[in-house]
Amino acid sequence: RKSALKTLLQRLLKHPKKLGVSFRFWDFLLILVIVVSGIFLVQFLGRENLDVISSRELLRLTSTPHIRNEAPDAAVRGRPLKGPEILRDSELLEAAKYKVYTGIYVANNFSLDLEVPSFSSKGYLWMRWGKPFQDYLEKRGLAVSDVIGLENDINPETSLITPLRDVREFDDGTFGQGMLYTGDFYIDNLDLRRFPFNSVSLPVVLEVDDPVGDLTYKSLRLIPDLRDSGIGQYSDLFGWLTRGWSFGEFRHHFASGLGASAVDEEYSQLIFDVSYQRSSWSAFWTLIQPLVVVMASIVLITRVLTEFRVEIPIAVLLTLIFLQDGYRSELPNLPYLSFLDSVYAIAYLLSIVSFALVLYLESLKRRASLERNERRDLILGRIHFYEQSWPPISLLVMVLLSAASWLLI
């Protein structure tokens, strides 16, 4: 095989036209290097292990009444109960020793940072409970905020639950307290595959903090106050459209006994979730429109008749790099490609092909200047075909591949 390959290369060097090829040896070698590099790249990427270690924790929606977010693309949290599970959970709710009715009113969401990802929020909490739970707190010298806290806060120094007044006893024998919460919160369910036309859900999570193990899911339930909970007039996130909110209780199953039990523990959890979506109109004009303008010079590259046509693809490639770096700076490192990443990958591919096409056309023009009569007319006809066909073909390829990227998300 080595001898045959050596003979073939020698014949290409000496008599390329006798083999029916019109390219020179170095062109053949360049194509061979590109193909081999592509094979090695595919082999390298193909060996990547996409299996990740996932948590054994589970989040299940409970049988208590909840408000579902009806906004399109809203984050779905927890698996719903089905069939006998609903009846079983209702029996557990009825048998629970302590019940705390809790409401959340989000006054303001702000400082969204997708790179972390996190956001800041402040608002109001109120809780109402019966005499048995009040006796439990008094016996241990605890406040309700010592038992029920913010679960997804990322900075304990700035995340606070501040009582607005002392615990009050109502005429029906229940106890209650109003509080103010402030803090920085982690966004756990962020999906940026459709960026820049994506939505984001900002959760405030309350959960029982029980290091002893006597306030598990079977003992204490957090029941959402659906009537008075909601969002305030300052809850709109600047630059985003408010689409909806949800509020409900979830059954949080830990894959651990947390040092207090020989079995996995479960606790009641409340999630108040506000959904926001980017304006499609704004996203197009700020992120897509500059790319369209830049790619127009590539689509129409064969119609440019100046002597600087070769330099245009290089300038476009540099511009694409700067444009992509601009929007990537606000995103975290993603384990997948967003829609805009896919569009830029298509743009890079078309720019490289355009550059190669321009070089090929320049080579054909130099060859045409050395030929005469019919041979020259044949080469000029080929040049004219490429110059006329490339703009619609490249535009069609970019539109089809972009549409396919969107549909495959």
Side-chain angles (χ1 to χ4, degrees):
R1 292 183 180 179
K2 293 182 178 180
S3 177
L5 180 60
K6 182 178 180 181
T7 303
L8 176 61
L9 293 178
Q10 290 176 348
R11 295 178 65 186
L12 282 172
L13 275 171
K14 296 179 179 179
H15 307 287
K17 293 185 178 180
K18 290 185 179 180
L19 294 177
V21 293
S22 58
F23 49 80
R24 294 171 298 177
F25 167 73
W26 296 112
D27 297 325
F28 170 78
L29 185 60
L30 177 61
I31 295 175
L32 182 63
V33 170
I34 293 175
V35 172
V36 173
S37 301
I39 293 174
F40 279 109
L41 180 62
V42 171
Q43 290 294 325
F44 172 76
L45 297 178
R47 286 198 300 267
E48 182 182 11
N49 185 7
L50 299 179
D51 296 331
V52 296
I53 299 175
S54 57
S55 172
R56 293 184 296 157
E57 294 185 18
L58 295 176
L59 202 63
R60 302 294 299 273
L61 192 63
T62 68
S63 59
T64 57
H66 63 277
I67 294 177
R68 181 184 176 186
N69 194 338
E70 300 294 343
D73 298 331
V76 178
R77 298 184 183 276
R79 292 187 298 173
L81 300 176
K82 297 181 180 179
E85 293 178 330
I86 301 177
L87 179 60
R88 174 59 179 164
D89 190 77
S90 300
E91 294 174 350
L92 290 176
L93 176 62
E94 185 68 25
K97 186 176 181 180
Y98 310 120
K99 299 182 182 71
V100 180
Y101 295 83
T102 306
I104 301 178
Y105 192 87
V106 175
N108 190 9
N109 284 334
F110 56 98
S111 298
L112 174 64
D113 186 355
L114 295 180
E115 191 174 2
V116 174
S118 66
F119 71 102
S120 299
S121 180
K122 68 177 183 178
Y124 301 96
L125 297 173
W126 57 92
M127 301 182 191
R128 196 162 178 170
W129 57 90
K131 187 68 166 57
F133 189 56
Q134 179 64 20
D135 294 339
Y136 174 89
L137 295 176
E138 291 179 353
K139 182 179 180 179
R140 292 162 177 78
L142 298 173
V144 68
S145 58
D146 296 327
V147 177
I148 302 172
L150 298 168
E151 178 67 14
N152 65 324
D153 62 306
I154 60 176
N155 191 348
E157 295 181 357
T158 59
S159 300
L160 301 172
I161 295 180
T162 307
L164 296 176
R165 57 186 68 88
D166 295 332
V167 176
R168 174 186 174 186
E169 183 176 2
F170 295 92
D171 296 335
D172 59 358
T174 60
F175 297 81
Q177 188 175 31
M179 291 158 278
L180 174 71
Y181 80 85
T182 58
D184 301 322
F185 301 94
Y186 176 70
I187 306 174
D188 64 319
N189 204 352
L190 183 63
D191 189 352
L192 296 175
R193 287 180 173 84
R194 293 183 178 270
F195 179 85
F197 305 107
N198 62 291
S199 60
V200 61
S201 295
L202 307 185
V204 175
V205 183
L206 289 175
E207 186 168 298
V208 179
D209 186 8
D210 176 36
V212 181
D214 54 359
L215 294 178
T216 59
Y217 186 79
K218 294 181 179 181
S219 300
L220 189 150
R221 296 289 293 271
L222 302 178
I223 303 176
D225 180 358
L226 304 182
R227 179 185 180 277
D228 293 329
S229 298
I231 57 178
Q233 63 177 333
Y234 302 114
S235 60
D236 293 338
L237 195 62
F238 188 74
W240 295 73
L241 304 176
T242 306
R243 290 305 190 190
W245 57 276
S246 64
F247 189 30
E249 183 200 18
F250 294 83
R251 180 176 184 170
H252 186 190
H253 175 90
F254 283 93
S256 170
L258 302 178
S261 174
V263 297
D264 293 349
E265 295 285 15
E266 293 182 331
Y267 292 97
S268 180
Q269 182 182 99
L270 287 181
I271 301 180
F272 190 99
D273 205 339
V274 186
S275 293
Y276 301 89
Q277 189 174 38
R278 289 179 181 270
S279 168
S280 299
W281 188 252
S282 175
F284 175 82
W285 287 108
T286 56
L287 294 174
I288 303 296
Q289 184 260 348
L291 177 62
V292 172
V293 173
V294 171
M295 290 307 298
S297 59
I298 285 296
V299 171
L300 301 175
I301 186 66
T302 57
R303 303 293 178 88
V304 178
L305 301 179
T306 66
E307 59 182 355
F308 302 105
R309 183 167 66 174
V310 177
E311 287 81 1
I312 292 178
I314 300 176
V316 169
L317 283 172
L318 294 175
T319 305
L320 289 176
I321 293 173
F322 285 113
L323 288 176
Q324 188 173 34
D325 183 66
Y327 79 81
R328 287 293 304 181
S329 62
E330 64 177 274
L331 300 179
N333 292 326
L334 301 175
Y336 51 81
L337 291 181
S338 68
F339 170 68
L340 194 55
D341 290 332
S342 301
V343 174
Y344 268 84
I346 298 168
Y348 283 123
L349 178 62
L350 289 178
S351 299
I352 295 173
V353 174
S354 297
F355 184 58
L357 180 60
V358 169
L359 293 179
Y360 178 63
L361 292 180
E362 293 298 321
S363 176
L364 288 179
K365 287 183 178 180
R366 288 193 296 270
R367 187 185 305 174
S369 64
L370 302 176
E371 300 288 347
R372 294 183 180 180
N373 302 329
E374 295 182 359
R375 182 64 179 175
R376 182 175 181 273
D377 294 338
L378 180 62
I379 296 176
L380 292 177
R382 185 186 304 176
I383 294 174
H384 179 75
F385 171 77
Y386 285 127
E387 289 179 342
Q388 298 299 316
S389 61
W390 172 246
I393 290 177
S394 59
L395 179 61
L396 180 63
V397 169
M398 186 167 189
V399 171
L400 291 179
L401 291 180
S402 300
S405 299
W406 179 264
L407 295 175
L408 292 176
I409 293 177

